[in-house]
Amino acid sequence: MLAARPRPAGLAERRQRLDALGAQYRLPADVRVVPIEANGVPAEWTTTPEAHDARVILFLHGGGYISGSLTSHRHMIAEAGRQARARTLALAYRLAPEHPFPAALEDVLSGYALLMAQGVEPERIAIAGESAGGGLAVAALISMRDKGIPLPACAWLSSPWVDLELAGASMTAKAPVDPLIQRPYLAELARMYLDGTDARSPLVSPMHADLKGLPPMLIQVGSAETLLDDAVRLADVAGTADVRVTLEIWPEMIHAWHLFHPQLAAGRRALAAVGAFIRSMMG
Amino acid sequence: MLAARPRPAGLAERRQRLDALGAQYRLPADVRVVPIEANGVPAEWTTTPEAHDARVILFLHGGGYISGSLTSHRHMIAEAGRQARARTLALAYRLAPEHPFPAALEDVLSGYALLMAQGVEPERIAIAGESAGGGLAVAALISMRDKGIPLPACAWLSSPWVDLELAGASMTAKAPVDPLIQRPYLAELARMYLDGTDARSPLVSPMHADLKGLPPMLIQVGSAETLLDDAVRLADVAGTADVRVTLEIWPEMIHAWHLFHPQLAAGRRALAAVGAFIRSMMG
């Protein structure tokens, strides 16, 4: 069904389409949404009755660095927050091509700084990201570590994109079964985000970074993804650097399948696993 | 401490040493041990008060195909059974060099056949193996699938050895931090077990097998292991074949650290994770 859709004509249509995907799902009545500005970055809190005030998920949406928004992922992150019994702060970081690297990364650090300023304890924060947002989350952790900023308790990375060179074997091997993400599309996104930066630079392709000292990571990926090997290689690189890693490969799931959780049991199960992981890491 | 021990002189000393490692830990008083013969294979049941009769873990010890026994791993598998709320059946499969491939594999199939004959439901069986026993467990699953034997519900693989070619990058990269397992030792074990069989044959190095149709796997490995990449590559190959995979990389843990659980909190936590996984897979 997804594969059969006509390819979007341009940037505006891509953004509109991803927003529409999220907007089609009605937010449960018990989710409270509060828009804010996080040190200049548009953002919003979501809270469910299950949330403990002290716990926060800082969320970075997917969309290939050129699309995605608060609208596209609101229903998904609200449910993740419910499962984790945490408030969520989603960031509308700046997008390429208008704002290439490192604009998005700067915005994530600004968002995290707001949490620090508000007195949220780092050990009660999970940083989370999907797809491009997953790569961005790892890049943010590296930046925080290098700047001496206290690190969050854990990271949840959903179908993370961590290799802008597109060198994973699954980029070809899984192309026939991935209805959403194909190499030419990713190459175009990478060009827009990189804007001349080396694709192997650790802050754009964090699988090339030294990940020593990063907090425990839950990495989730579907087996029907061209990005499968990004997740596997990230697990390898992080684990090799003595980071505590849990990698879950979900059979036949497509890229960022959690987005479809209202109609997809495996999406709900994956979010339940996220909740259990984050709760266990926050003590 | 482990690295500082003198190298064992020969086969008998290696076997004795691994048995002594297990025997040093007193079995809790509430563990019941019942020796049996499983279709000709020496074996034993362990049961804790927590065990449901209907649930069974079929366990294949480690020891590089040339050592390991019921004695060496009794305390560890008893605790895994407690955590999983299952009985455990451990097999003393035949060892190389006296009995090279495929003797051990035949014994595992004999042990599984006993469970089938006793009316244990496949969906209430977990197959489990450590190190060489982990590779053997995957080989057994492949054999069962190919013979049309009903598959168990899930597999737990602890520091599995699935590449007798020893081609993983961690074989070199982790050599300085692994106190137990080094390439020359593994190469010697592989020679004894293979006895002329191709090291890339899928039933001795199951990372070269088609793993399609295998049940969900929990793979646990330490980051201080030369065998780290065996676990990562198995996760990759299995996940790519649409097997449900959870890979856990435990920072700074050494090969088969669960064996030390009476004195090692990370061993107890790893066994708790095993229990949760098996329980979730048996419904």
Side-chain angles (χ1 to χ4, degrees):
Chain A
M1 187 187 77
L2 292 166
R5 300 179 309 177
R7 293 206 55 202
L11 201 57
E13 193 180 340
R14 280 181 178 160
R15 290 175 177 169
Q16 185 279 327
R17 184 182 278 191
L18 188 49
D19 284 358
L21 191 159
Q24 77 181 297
Y25 296 116
R26 208 171 36 213
L27 209 59
D30 64 353
V31 178
R32 197 157 52 92
V33 180
V34 179
I36 64 160
E37 210 174 82
N39 291 325
V41 183
E44 69 183 26
W45 289 103
T46 66
T47 317
T48 61
E50 289 87 346
H52 294 269
D53 262 9
R55 290 181 174 165
V56 174
I57 302 175
L58 181 66
F59 181 68
L60 314 175
H61 64 74
Y65 293 113
I66 60 104
S67 66
S69 70
L70 303 175
T71 302
S72 57
H73 286 69
R74 184 177 294 123
H75 69 293
M76 195 278 282
I77 188 59
E79 183 59 23
R82 189 193 305 276
Q83 296 294 331
R85 297 179 200 148
R87 297 186 290 158
T88 76
L89 181 65
L91 298 180
Y93 55 83
R94 283 170 289 168
L95 298 176
E98 297 92 330
H99 304 281
F101 173 81
L105 180 57
E106 291 168 357
D107 288 354
V108 177
L109 296 178
S110 296
Y112 193 73
L114 177 85
L115 296 180
M116 295 295 97
Q118 292 192 347
V120 182
E121 294 175 297
E123 56 269 32
R124 295 288 177 276
I125 300 173
I127 190 165
E130 176 207 277
S131 191
L136 190 54
V138 182
L141 289 169
I142 297 164
S143 294
M144 290 174 199
R145 179 199 63 191
D146 292 349
K147 290 173 195 287
I149 298 169
L151 294 174
C154 62
W156 160 44
L157 308 166
S158 172
S159 301
W161 183 25
V162 293
D163 172 22
L164 272 61
E165 276 195 316
L166 315 178
S170 58
M171 199 50 61
T172 307
K174 291 294 184 181
V177 295
D178 188 323
L180 288 174
I181 309 290
Q182 297 287 327
R183 186 196 293 270
Y185 174 54
L186 286 178
E188 190 188 341
L189 302 176
R191 264 194 309 277
M192 288 192 267
Y193 183 59
L194 289 169
D195 191 33
T197 300
D198 181 352
R200 293 175 61 90
S201 165
L203 291 180
V204 296
S205 293
M207 61 162 282
H208 296 301
D210 173 9
L211 301 182
K212 191 140 300 257
L214 264 50
M217 294 180 178
L218 171 65
I219 306 169
Q220 295 180 318
V221 68
S223 74
E225 294 204 39
T226 53
L227 286 169
L228 171 57
D229 279 4
D230 277 51
V232 172
R233 289 177 297 159
L234 177 63
D236 191 6
V237 171
T240 297
D242 296 314
V243 174
R244 181 166 172 176
V245 172
T246 303
L247 169 69
E248 295 181 351
I249 306 177
W250 287 69
E252 290 160 32
M253 286 301 112
I254 62 171
H255 189 62
W257 73 99
H258 309 61
L259 280 174
F260 304 95
H261 77 269
Q263 60 194 109
L264 185 66
R268 296 191 290 278
R269 285 200 301 270
L271 287 170
V274 168
F277 171 78
I278 292 178
R279 284 184 273 119
S280 76
M281 290 297 150
M282 291 189 182
Chain B
M1 188 187 75
L2 291 166
R5 301 180 308 177
R7 293 206 56 202
L11 201 56
E13 193 181 338
R14 280 181 178 158
R15 289 174 180 171
Q16 186 279 328
R17 185 183 278 191
L18 188 49
D19 284 358
L21 191 159
Q24 77 180 297
Y25 296 116
R26 234 228 304 262
L27 210 59
D30 64 352
V31 178
R32 196 157 53 91
V33 180
V34 179
I36 63 160
E37 212 176 81
N39 291 324
V41 183
E44 69 182 27
W45 289 103
T46 67
T47 316
T48 61
E50 290 86 347
H52 294 270
D53 263 10
R55 289 180 175 165
V56 174
I57 302 175
L58 181 66
F59 181 67
L60 313 175
H61 64 74
Y65 293 113
I66 60 106
S67 67
S69 68
L70 302 176
T71 302
S72 57
H73 286 70
R74 184 176 294 122
H75 68 292
M76 196 278 283
I77 187 59
E79 183 59 23
R82 189 193 304 277
Q83 295 294 331
R85 297 179 200 147
R87 296 188 289 158
T88 75
L89 181 65
L91 298 180
Y93 55 82
R94 283 170 290 167
L95 298 177
E98 298 90 332
H99 304 281
F101 174 82
L105 181 57
E106 290 167 358
D107 287 354
V108 178
L109 296 179
S110 296
Y112 193 73
L114 178 85
L115 296 180
M116 295 294 97
Q118 292 193 347
V120 182
E121 294 175 296
E123 56 269 30
R124 295 287 177 278
I125 300 173
I127 190 165
E130 176 207 275
S131 190
L136 190 54
V138 181
L141 289 169
I142 296 164
S143 294
M144 291 173 197
R145 179 199 63 191
D146 292 349
K147 292 173 195 286
I149 297 169
L151 294 175
C154 61
W156 160 43
L157 308 166
S158 172
S159 300
W161 184 24
V162 294
D163 172 22
L164 271 61
E165 275 195 315
L166 314 179
S170 58
M171 199 50 62
T172 306
K174 290 294 183 181
V177 295
D178 188 323
L180 290 175
I181 309 290
Q182 297 288 326
R183 185 198 293 271
Y185 174 54
L186 286 178
E188 190 188 341
L189 302 176
R191 265 194 310 275
M192 289 191 266
Y193 183 59
L194 289 169
D195 191 34
T197 300
D198 182 352
R200 293 176 61 90
S201 164
L203 291 181
V204 296
S205 293
M207 61 161 283
H208 296 300
D210 173 10
L211 301 182
K212 193 143 297 262
L214 264 51
M217 293 180 179
L218 171 65
I219 306 170
Q220 295 181 317
V221 68
S223 74
E225 294 203 40
T226 53
L227 286 169
L228 171 57
D229 280 4
D230 277 51
V232 172
R233 290 177 297 160
L234 177 63
D236 191 6
V237 171
T240 298
D242 295 314
V243 174
R244 180 165 174 178
V245 173
T246 303
L247 168 69
E248 294 180 351
I249 305 176
W250 287 69
E252 290 159 31
M253 286 301 112
I254 62 171
H255 188 62
W257 73 99
H258 309 61
L259 280 174
F260 305 95
H261 78 269
Q263 59 194 110
L264 186 66
R268 296 191 291 278
R269 286 200 300 271
L271 288 171
V274 168
F277 171 78
I278 292 178
R279 285 183 273 120
S280 77
M281 289 299 150
M282 291 189 180

